Amino acid sequence: MPRSRIAVRPDEVLFRVGTGIFASILVVGVLAIGFELYRQSRLSIHEFGWQFWQTDTWDPVSGQFGARPFIWGTLYSSILAIVISTPIALGIAIYISELAPAWLSTPLVFLTELLAAIPSIVYGLWGVFVLVPAVRQLQAATPAALKSLPFFTGPPLGIGMLSAALILAIMIIPFSSSIAREVLRAVPQAQREGAYALGATRWEAIRMALFYARTGIVGAVMLGFGRALGETMAVTMVIGNTPRISWSLFAPQHTMSAVIANEFSEATSDLYLHSLIEIGLVLFVITLIINVISRLFIWSMGRQRRTRPRAEPVLKAAA
Amino acid sequence: MIRDRYRRLLSHVVMGLCGLAVLVALVPLALILFYVLSQGLSSLNWSFLVDMPRPVGEPGGGMANAIVGSLYVVAIGALFAVPVGIMSGVYAAEYAGTRFAEAVRFAADTLNGVPSIVIGVFAYGIAVLPFRQFSAMAGGVALGIMMIPLIMRTTEELLRLVPGSLKEGALALGATRARAVFTVVLPAALPGIMTGVLLALARISGETAPLLFTALNNQYFSTDLRQPISTLTVQVYTYANSPYEDWHRQAWAGALVLVTIVLTCSLLARAATARMSRLHRGA
Amino acid sequence: MKLWKRASLAAGAVLVAGAALSAQGIINGAGATFPNPIYQKWFAEYNKLHGDVRINYQPVGSGGGIQQVSKRTVFFGATDGPMTNEQLLAADGKLLHFPTVLGGVVPIFNVPEVKSELKFTGPLLADIFLGKVTKWNDPAIAKVNAGVQLPASDIVVVHRSEGSGTTYIFADFLAKVSPEWKSKVGVNNALNWPAGIGSKGSDGVTGQVKSTPGAIGYTELTYALTNKIAFGAVENKAGKFVKASTDSVTAAAAAAATKMPADFRVSITNAEGDAAYPIASFTWLLLYESPADKAQAKSMVGFMNWALTDGQKFAPEMGYAPLPKAVVDLELKALEKIKTQ
């Protein structure tokens, strides 16, 4: 049948339009959020312009607002969290989908998702009462040689960037790990069997599966990253809520979500409120930028390999 | 030969590291669960589950209204997020090359990064202010918005991983696209999609910030969609921030109840999916 | 399938029934966290006397209370810091302030080497929180605490990370006793703190102070009393070092009672009187002069009449200070302005 006739078949059109409507709801929703954020921060945008992204002062009394320390804190804590959690999450995903005996995999899946079931406020409370004192002890025990590095300066308060990054890492493990696991499980057995037939070791076969599912894996990591960027409650209880820019893991710092959560209800002036919402807008824009970067990353991943056959590493090894 | 041995060694080392990763993740889990249990179990009793909150100083008092309320708003959120999420995922998977599908995917990833509090503020703007009323409905809307990206991305990724041969077989047998997708491809990806849905549910059940601006909270029992409603997370948050030891203990008990509910629902849903896919495959 | 169908039908029925059974007459309010415990007590006690009046109050914060009541998304608001003229103009109608109860803010500290009580003057507290006095054995502290062995350790300042009425009251006092504080930091619910770390909530601050040797912070008197936290005495305007208590807080309001402005918006920090505690404040309930729902207005006015008279007896046992009679009389008269017809 000619292609155009299939494309305009009524059931085909209905399918496309039907699912398309729901997809549009999503897109329109996100645009609406972006628009609302812009609309409700107009006072602050007008007042500060681009300086908002570059100033460090956050003074509600004098009406001076700058978002740079919060941008720093959010990015530093989230990137650190991803760096810590991704290897662990992937390790878990690989273990459950490839290595664990059948009787073990179901309980492990259950336990991983248990981590996601814990409310963020419980993470926060546990963080304050258990993690922070432990980190404080760790900080106090840092050898003097390390203390001179910019990453470890400052008094051992416990509260600070390190605690925040650790809590975030724990919180996002179930997300990246579960999606990665499902994605790995969905790789067709035929692909794996082909690899083994060519003499691959377990790890090499898994590497092949990871490559096959790479967009899903990157998607899983991005979902975890998104979660880390937006996490509010747990972070605000352990990060110290002090707007400042510091490389030190021991220093109390602040994040965009935390400052909005802390100060939104009490914002007394319109400029204050608009500034807080502008921080929300900044976070929104940063998420957009990060998404674009990760897409470029996936695209380049695909490009590199297109010129070489997939079985090459295994073939090379077998030679 | 040496090359082979190296490869095998590498394989074993990596496998060991993966096992280690599992252990590393389980340690904080055990610590947190132990902590929640130890703090909450002692305050958990029958009256806690059926009583309404009482002012401090009075014995008893519970979170019955909050338990029902949490289930309520999560259900409302799911009611509108699951169809939107799954359908968008289907669209993005089926029309993967198109620019609009790319836009949908981009939108989902962006939405996922929006902090829960910003979503709460947005939901406040569209669902509370126009009606001059905090409501359970607004709370459901806020939570639903948060669920959509996770469900949509999971659905899309898993649909794309279903082998093309399944769909082609269905189409070859004369099925319309809709039928092929909904009766063959989607069920094949269902366990994975279910994971996405459950993760999303688990995540929003534990959210506080968006509810503060939408559903507010309620000292009384209410299932009215148009009135503020009590939820476990907000109640736990309020009690935890109070100066009273008694309320702190109740906050922990509430947290314990919340985790238990999420887990039980998760388990039940998994069991149901497993049964469904077994029936479907005719095994 | 059958099970699913039945389950979803049941769920649907509950939803519909719930929507139909609309909650008759629940009056919604939101505002400050500080008076939340006593408000909950009052609403429950009043409900025992008048079963049909159900008042739902949520402690979202003073600013939140002002925001919401200004937009009429709740029937009444509550705040620890009085509304500014700008905020009153921005509201959807004329809002009236009604002081309900009194509270105090106390300086808490954790210095393991010091077993006795510590005293602070206003300017000293300001200097500590400005970050100018950084060690516990600073001569300024030693001068006021003669005979107490003070260690050479660092002072770790802890303040509220989120906006709070407690911060407002504390800053209001500091601005009155320290010109440098007034110009450099100012008075607001949320401040650009020159020193220290921020913790969330009263328990966040108290927890941080408790677990950090050398820390100093501030918190509500009710909180310090119920959690048995050590706090210091503060020098008042008359030069006396007063430790916060329900009596000394009520004494602070007594002086203001004689020159109470008609709208009840007054600051009583650094009040006159030998027995007055200097860091004290009213907390206000916000009601519209012309409320939208007249039936609810009637119930609310009835409640206020009770709370300002009989309700006050519940205050001391919960750590709050009752209102002086002079103030109550003025308020009962002002309540008549609210249009309940």
Side-chain angles (χ1 to χ4, degrees):
Chain A
M1 227 191 248
R3 196 162 176 270
S4 53
R5 299 238 329 247
I6 297 176
V8 303
R9 245 172 49 195
D11 52 85
E12 182 73 33
V13 170
L14 199 63
F15 179 75
R16 186 161 195 162
V17 167
T19 52
I21 288 180
F22 287 98
S24 312
I25 293 179
L26 175 55
V27 175
V28 167
V30 175
L31 286 174
I33 293 179
F35 179 69
E36 263 305 293
L37 285 175
Y38 173 72
R39 195 176 70 91
Q40 300 228 31
S41 56
R42 267 216 291 264
L43 267 182
S44 164
I45 294 176
H46 182 77
E47 177 78 17
F48 303 114
W50 286 112
Q51 285 303 315
F52 194 71
W53 290 66
Q54 294 159 2
T55 329
D56 288 351
T57 328
W58 185 263
D59 190 343
V61 180
S62 67
Q64 282 303 313
F65 298 106
R68 210 164 62 153
F70 308 108
I71 299 175
W72 167 265
T74 302
L75 287 176
Y76 194 4
S77 58
S78 303
I79 292 178
L80 202 54
I82 288 276
V83 165
I84 298 174
S85 72
T86 305
I88 301 177
L90 280 180
I92 299 175
I94 294 173
Y95 188 81
I96 297 181
S97 63
E98 307 277 336
L99 303 169
W103 58 268
L104 193 54
S105 54
T106 320
L108 280 180
V109 165
F110 174 70
L111 286 173
T112 327
E113 292 187 356
L114 203 44
L115 274 174
I118 299 175
S120 47
I121 186 179
V122 173
Y123 272 111
L125 289 170
W126 177 80
V128 169
F129 293 120
V130 177
L131 186 66
V132 165
V135 170
R136 187 181 300 136
Q137 302 225 349
L138 189 71
Q139 288 176 353
T142 329
L146 282 178
K147 269 231 164 91
S148 52
L149 288 174
F151 293 109
F152 303 111
T153 53
L157 293 167
I159 286 219
M161 182 54 71
L162 184 58
S163 299
L166 283 174
I167 278 250
L168 279 176
I170 299 173
M171 289 176 84
I172 64 180
I173 284 175
F175 290 91
S176 333
S177 155
S178 299
I179 311 285
R181 176 196 76 227
E182 289 298 338
V183 155
L184 277 177
R185 264 195 196 162
V187 172
Q189 263 312 94
Q191 294 280 345
R192 286 196 189 86
E193 283 160 12
Y196 286 130
L198 286 166
T201 59
R202 226 107 195 240
W203 165 231
E204 281 156 2
I206 291 174
R207 231 174 47 188
M208 182 279 317
L210 281 174
F211 177 76
Y212 185 88
R214 69 191 174 287
T215 58
I217 303 269
V218 174
V221 173
M222 289 308 293
L223 275 171
F225 192 40
R227 179 91 172 84
L229 285 176
E231 175 51 40
T232 315
M233 282 292 161
V235 171
T236 188
M237 292 173 103
V238 302
I239 199 170
N241 302 310
T242 314
R244 86 192 213 215
I245 298 185
S246 166
W247 278 106
S248 173
L249 292 169
F250 295 175
Q253 297 182 50
H254 218 333
T255 65
M256 292 189 266
S257 313
V259 71
I260 300 176
N262 276 323
E263 303 187 12
F264 193 80
S265 293
E266 293 283 347
T268 38
S269 70
D270 272 345
L271 182 62
Y272 193 2
L273 222 80
H274 281 227
S275 298
L276 283 169
I277 296 184
E278 192 179 349
I279 289 193
L281 182 62
V282 168
L283 186 52
F284 190 74
V285 170
I286 288 182
T287 316
L288 279 169
I289 295 176
I290 291 178
N291 271 331
V292 170
I293 294 178
S294 78
R295 269 163 175 67
L296 287 174
F297 183 61
I298 297 181
W299 181 72
S300 74
M301 263 170 83
R303 252 182 90 97
Q304 266 173 15
R305 298 289 184 135
R306 218 168 280 153
T307 51
R308 292 189 288 154
R310 270 187 214 158
E312 205 225 318
V314 174
L315 280 176
K316 241 199 192 164
Chain B
M1 254 348 254
I2 298 181
R3 183 78 189 256
D4 269 353
R5 262 208 253 148
Y6 161 74
R7 283 169 55 215
R8 266 199 277 270
L9 182 64
L10 181 63
S11 186
H12 283 125
V13 165
V14 174
M15 298 303 108
L17 284 176
C18 290
L20 190 64
V22 174
L23 286 172
V24 165
L26 289 181
V27 164
L29 176 65
L31 288 174
I32 297 176
L33 281 180
F34 176 69
Y35 196 69
V36 176
L37 269 170
S38 65
Q39 299 281 344
L41 206 54
S42 50
S43 318
L44 198 58
N45 50 36
W46 187 245
S47 91
F48 181 82
L49 294 171
V50 297
D51 272 347
M52 298 303 136
R54 300 234 184 99
V56 75
E58 289 182 28
M63 294 197 187
N65 56 345
I67 295 173
V68 171
S70 276
L71 290 169
Y72 218 66
V73 287
V74 169
I76 297 174
L79 213 64
F80 108 85
V82 170
V84 175
I86 292 186
M87 288 297 162
S88 319
V90 167
Y91 184 90
E94 284 297 306
Y95 299 99
T98 67
R99 273 214 301 260
F100 188 60
E102 189 53 44
V104 175
R105 216 169 292 129
F106 196 75
D109 283 338
T110 309
L111 186 55
N112 193 50
V114 178
S116 49
I117 189 157
V118 171
I119 293 190
V121 171
F122 173 73
Y124 173 78
I126 59 167
V128 173
L129 269 185
F131 306 102
R132 300 218 159 164
Q133 179 78 277
F134 287 101
S135 62
M137 182 57 106
V141 165
L143 292 183
I145 293 177
M146 293 181 69
M147 286 178 73
I148 294 177
L150 199 51
I151 299 179
M152 182 258 162
R153 287 299 255 129
T154 324
T155 309
E156 185 211 349
E157 288 297 337
L158 286 165
L159 282 178
R160 286 171 75 173
L161 280 168
V162 170
S165 48
L166 255 117
K167 185 166 142 207
E168 284 154 18
L171 290 171
L173 284 168
T176 58
R177 193 165 192 168
R179 205 182 190 128
V181 169
F182 290 120
T183 59
V184 174
V185 184
L186 202 58
L190 198 62
I193 295 178
M194 196 46 113
T195 302
V197 172
L198 286 174
L199 266 180
L201 282 171
R203 180 196 169 170
I204 60 149
S205 319
E207 285 291 342
T208 321
L211 291 170
L212 286 172
F213 297 97
T214 48
L216 197 65
N217 196 357
N218 202 330
Q219 300 302 109
Y220 304 96
F221 185 85
S222 161
T223 49
D224 188 346
L225 282 174
R226 294 161 300 160
Q227 284 286 328
I229 196 169
S230 180
T231 48
L232 274 171
T233 43
V234 176
Q235 195 74 323
V236 165
Y237 174 72
T238 310
Y239 275 16
N241 280 333
S242 73
Y244 300 104
E245 200 44 56
D246 183 46
W247 277 4
H248 285 177
R249 279 186 283 109
Q250 287 196 26
W252 281 112
L256 184 56
V257 170
L258 182 58
V259 174
T260 315
I261 292 180
V262 174
L263 267 179
T264 321
C265 291
S266 182
L267 273 173
L268 286 173
R270 273 206 179 284
T273 325
R275 199 200 272 151
M276 261 162 66
S277 56
R278 261 208 307 276
L279 286 173
H280 186 261
R281 291 206 194 110
Chain C
M1 255 312 143
K2 242 180 159 183
L3 178 60
W4 289 114
K5 275 207 188 130
R6 280 209 213 122
S8 33
L9 270 173
V14 169
L15 268 172
V16 171
L21 256 165
S22 78
Q24 299 280 8
I26 288 188
I27 303 174
N28 293 308
T33 49
F34 162 69
N36 182 41
I38 190 162
Y39 283 179
Q40 298 300 348
K41 181 82 177 174
W42 278 348
F43 299 140
E45 289 294 322
Y46 194 70
N47 183 249
K48 285 187 198 158
L49 300 169
H50 301 261
D52 55 323
V53 178
R54 290 184 295 168
I55 305 174
N56 171 32
Y57 176 76
Q58 292 308 323
V60 297
S62 300
I66 294 174
Q67 280 176 31
Q68 298 316 323
V69 79
S70 299
K71 301 197 176 94
R72 289 202 198 244
T73 49
V74 290
F75 189 79
F76 68 93
T79 173
D80 296 331
M83 288 173 75
T84 61
N85 290 332
E86 286 170 328
Q87 290 171 325
L88 281 170
L89 279 172
D92 188 58
K94 183 160 181 207
L95 274 170
L96 302 170
H97 286 71
F98 291 97
T100 48
V101 83
L102 287 156
V105 176
V106 297
I108 51 175
F109 52 88
N110 175 2
V111 190
E113 298 88 339
V114 171
K115 303 288 177 245
S116 51
E117 269 188 19
L118 281 181
K119 301 200 188 82
F120 300 94
T121 65
L124 175 60
L125 277 175
D127 285 340
I128 293 176
F129 280 86
L130 277 167
K132 287 169 68 183
V133 170
T134 54
K135 292 224 182 271
W136 281 105
N137 62 352
D138 190 290
I141 304 181
K143 195 165 105 177
V144 192
N145 291 284
V148 178
Q149 275 286 26
L150 294 164
S153 44
D154 290 324
I155 300 183
V156 180
V157 170
V158 182
H159 57 79
R160 291 283 283 272
S161 63
E162 82 275 29
S164 107
T166 317
T167 301
Y168 182 92
I169 300 168
F170 193 56
D172 189 52
F173 169 70
L174 291 179
K176 284 188 183 166
V177 297
S178 163
E180 189 180 348
W181 181 275
K182 188 164 182 191
S183 58
K184 200 163 168 217
V185 186
V187 182
N188 202 338
N189 281 339
L191 302 168
N192 186 14
W193 293 91
I197 52 178
S199 288
K200 196 158 175 18
S202 307
D203 52 335
V205 169
T206 343
Q208 187 65 31
V209 169
K210 268 195 188 157
S211 52
T212 312
I216 185 171
Y218 61 92
T219 186
E220 303 96 5
L221 172 63
T222 49
Y223 201 76
L225 286 175
T226 37
N227 288 309
K228 307 205 190 348
I229 306 163
F231 54 92
V234 184
E235 187 185 35
N236 67 9
K237 200 164 179 188
K240 302 270 187 287
F241 286 92
V242 179
K243 214 165 165 214
S245 68
T246 51
D247 289 330
S248 58
V249 168
T250 310
T258 50
K259 23 185 168 82
M260 183 66 78
D263 62 359
F264 298 107
R265 292 189 294 157
V266 66
S267 156
I268 55 171
T269 51
N270 214 23
E272 315 268 352
D274 279 355
Y277 180 66
I279 322 183
S281 171
F282 286 113
T283 181
W284 292 265
L285 207 94
L286 303 166
L287 288 167
Y288 275 103
E289 194 178 70
S290 309
D293 185 328
K294 302 292 187 247
Q296 290 192 342
K298 195 141 178 267
S299 307
M300 204 61 202
V301 171
F303 164 75
M304 287 298 284
N305 275 305
W306 175 86
L308 294 172
T309 49
D310 291 330
Q312 295 291 309
K313 66 173 185 270
F314 292 107
E317 72 201 30
M318 296 185 77
Y320 298 89
L323 297 168
K325 183 153 187 319
V327 177
V328 173
D329 291 335
L330 287 169
E331 287 190 65
L332 292 173
K333 267 240 267 309
L335 274 171
E336 290 164 19
K337 279 197 251 176
I338 299 183
K339 303 188 170 63
T340 54
Q341 307 297 343

